[in-house]
Structure formats: C-alpha cells, structure tokens
Amino acid sequence: MSRRPIGVFDSGVGGLTVLKELIRRLPNERYVYFGDMARTPYGTKSKETVTRFSKQIVRFLLSLDVKAIVVACNTASAMALDSIEAEYDMPVIGVVKPGAKTAADTTKTGHIGLIGTEATISSGIYESYLDTYSPGIHLSGKACPLFVSLVEEGCIEDPVTTEIARRYLSVFKGTDIDTIIMGCTHFPMIEDTIQRVAGNHVKLVNPAFETAKSTQKMLEERNLENDEEIPVDEEAYRFYVSDAPDRFSRIADIFLPLSISGAKQIAIEEY
Ligand code: DGL
C-alpha cells in the first residue's frame, strides 16, 4: 500500500478525461496532474520534441515523489512512452496500449477505425500494438485535429461539431469498420456526437476508461494501491501547468465535475 500520489500528465487539459476515469475507478488515490499549457498542442510536433517535453514532465513528477505515472496523452504515449520506460525506473502507463487491446477484443470484422491527432495517426503505434494482439487486423486512421479546439471552445453538443464529425467520419462510411478508437484525450467529451454520426453498428473505444482499468490492475499487482479514505480536509488533487493557469481552470470546468482553482504555474524547462 502506498499513499504517494499518482502523476498524470498531458499536453494541456485533455488528459482530464483520463483523470476523471482514474478518480472514478480509484477514488482513494491522490493525484498530481500536469498540463503543458505553454507547449500545447503536441499533436502537430515531432517525436523528438514530444519526447523531450515528456521527459521533463516525468522529472518534474518524480520530484513530487509520485508512485506511478499515467501518460494521459495519446500523442505523448504514441511517441515517448518507450523512451520514458527505458529511462526511468517507475511504473508508467500510457493510453495507447489499453485502447488498442480493447479494440482488438471488440472488433468482429477485423477492421478498426482510429481517430486522433496527426502525430498519433502517423506514428503507426496503434498498428504495431494491434498487430501483436491480433495479427491481420486492419486499421484505418483519420486525423481529426479540429475536434480538439471545438471541445476546448465548449462546443460539446453543437451543430458545428456535428458537421465537422460528418466530414471527418465520412471516410469510414461504406467500409466494414465496426470499432472506432477515440485516440485523442478530447474525443470522449464528444462521444455522443461521434456515436450518432458513426452509427450504432460501430462500437467506440474510450482509451481513458481502459487506461484507468489498467492502472488499477498495475497498482494491485505491485501492491501500490491506497485503501484508506483521504481525509476531507486534505487536497487529494493537485494541478500544475507550464502556463495560463486561469485558462486551464476555465477549460477544466468543461472536463471535470470539480472546480479547479489554483493550478500552479511552474517552469517546466528547468527539469
Ligand atoms: N492530448 C493530445 C492527445 O491526446 C491532444 C491535444 C494535443 O495535440 O496536444 O493526443
């Protein structure tokens, strides 16, 4: 058992969808969340850059004595997870593997759709995981960058979002895709719209949900979970950002049923 916090990070606010699932599944844990508001988005950046940013954040989280790290960003998981795992002696969970595994278990036709940032789609990481779980599965990817801004603008149930979803998802129409991975942190926020446009014959996989399950399993296996309730007067969730704490708190309201005030700004380049 360990009372130390779990470190969770993302390029910005999107990872809060993962934090939400973690809190739901592991309510007795303490969490430290870092959002890289100064350098978001990661989805258009190179592997080298995303890896450098991610390692700085890992070093920052380690300085807060976290017991495990959840890379709550699809782009960072796709591009940097391997090097983080190789360099740091710490349990690290990314969002890609759990989502890929569930998708492989879900599809009946063997044809899966993937939506995410440009970087995630072009990384080929989902293909390689799927290939190890179930060789022969066919993956069709579609970058949907506008969804990120739409969610951050609060356009959750909105005709504009529906129209953009129609355009993006039209590439999957007429195919035998029966499963779509929402391979970007923001997308579960507009799950209803994506489901409506994709059609009910398609199952949506939410990597945030699957990641929380994997985190629970990992904590149990390593005897790291905290079973004691957290005292009400203790701050169980701490939030840090590299810039724009007010914008972070404002957008966070869309993502989390918690009011986040007082996200602390830190100089991430120093780590
Ligand atoms: N968090 C990112 C992801 O899941 C989306 C936003 C970005 O591009 O940084 O890929």
Side-chain angles (χ1 to χ4, degrees):
M1 192 191 110
S2 167
R3 294 183 186 166
R4 288 153 65 207
I6 298 174
V8 181
F9 80 87
D10 176 49
S11 55
V13 285
L16 294 172
T17 54
V18 182
L19 181 65
K20 186 161 79 183
E21 297 297 340
L22 285 165
I23 293 173
R24 205 177 275 168
R25 190 166 277 270
L26 297 163
N28 292 336
E29 297 296 339
R30 295 165 172 84
Y31 297 93
V32 181
Y33 182 95
F34 179 83
D36 201 354
M37 298 295 283
R39 307 184 293 193
T40 196
Y42 283 8
T44 47
K45 297 196 168 68
S46 68
K47 185 177 168 81
E48 289 67 33
T49 299
V50 172
T51 304
R52 183 166 62 83
F53 290 172
S54 301
K55 285 187 180 174
Q56 285 175 333
I57 299 168
V58 167
R59 288 193 284 272
F60 165 66
L61 291 172
L62 290 176
S63 76
L64 299 178
D65 195 28
V66 296
K67 63 182 174 187
I69 291 178
V70 176
V71 184
C73 173
N74 280 264
T75 307
S77 300
M79 297 188 145
L81 188 72
D82 286 356
S83 5
I84 295 172
E85 278 177 338
E87 196 164 325
Y88 301 97
D89 186 20
M90 157 81 30
V92 186
I93 305 252
V95 288
V96 170
K97 217 190 230 180
K101 174 84 182 79
T102 306
D105 293 342
T106 304
T107 183
K108 301 269 186 296
T109 60
H111 191 180
I112 294 172
L114 169 67
I115 52 178
T117 63
E118 258 172 62
T120 299
I121 301 295
S122 60
S123 72
I125 188 86
Y126 273 97
E127 283 90 335
S128 51
Y129 281 128
L130 286 169
D131 213 40
T132 56
Y133 298 134
S134 191
I137 281 190
H138 181 46
L139 186 78
S140 298
K142 173 74 187 156
C144 302
L146 283 175
F147 282 163
V148 172
S149 317
L150 286 165
V151 169
E152 293 195 4
E153 287 304 315
C155 302
I156 305 298
E157 276 300 334
D158 192 295
V160 176
T161 308
T162 306
E163 178 52 30
I164 299 294
R166 276 201 194 107
R167 290 193 196 191
Y168 279 150
L169 300 180
S170 64
V171 295
F172 296 152
K173 290 276 174 215
T175 68
D176 59 348
I177 286 172
D178 65 349
T179 306
I180 294 179
I181 304 170
M182 294 186 286
C184 174
T185 46
H186 292 59
F187 299 179
M189 295 295 298
I190 49 167
E191 181 168 354
D192 291 350
T193 303
I194 296 171
Q195 185 72 70
R196 240 185 354 260
V197 172
N200 283 336
H201 63 289
V202 170
K203 291 243 167 1
L204 297 183
V205 172
N206 178 359
F209 177 79
E210 307 303 332
T211 301
K213 275 202 322 211
S214 299
T215 306
Q216 180 175 37
K217 191 159 165 261
M218 180 276 292
L219 293 180
E220 281 167 9
E221 280 167 5
R222 294 173 183 245
N223 212 10
L224 280 175
E225 73 271 43
N226 181 36
D227 300 326
E228 278 173 19
E229 255 181 59
I230 298 174
V232 274
D233 56 344
E234 194 191 314
E235 226 179 7
Y237 318 121
R238 283 178 289 155
F239 296 91
Y240 293 86
V241 289
S242 48
D243 197 9
D246 294 342
R247 178 172 162 79
F248 177 83
S249 303
R250 201 172 58 246
I251 304 177
D253 279 351
I254 307 170
F255 284 79
L256 269 189
L258 299 170
S259 123
I260 299 177
S261 55
K264 271 201 199 109
Q265 185 171 338
I266 58 128
I268 195 65
E269 294 281 2
E270 288 172 9
Y271 285 85

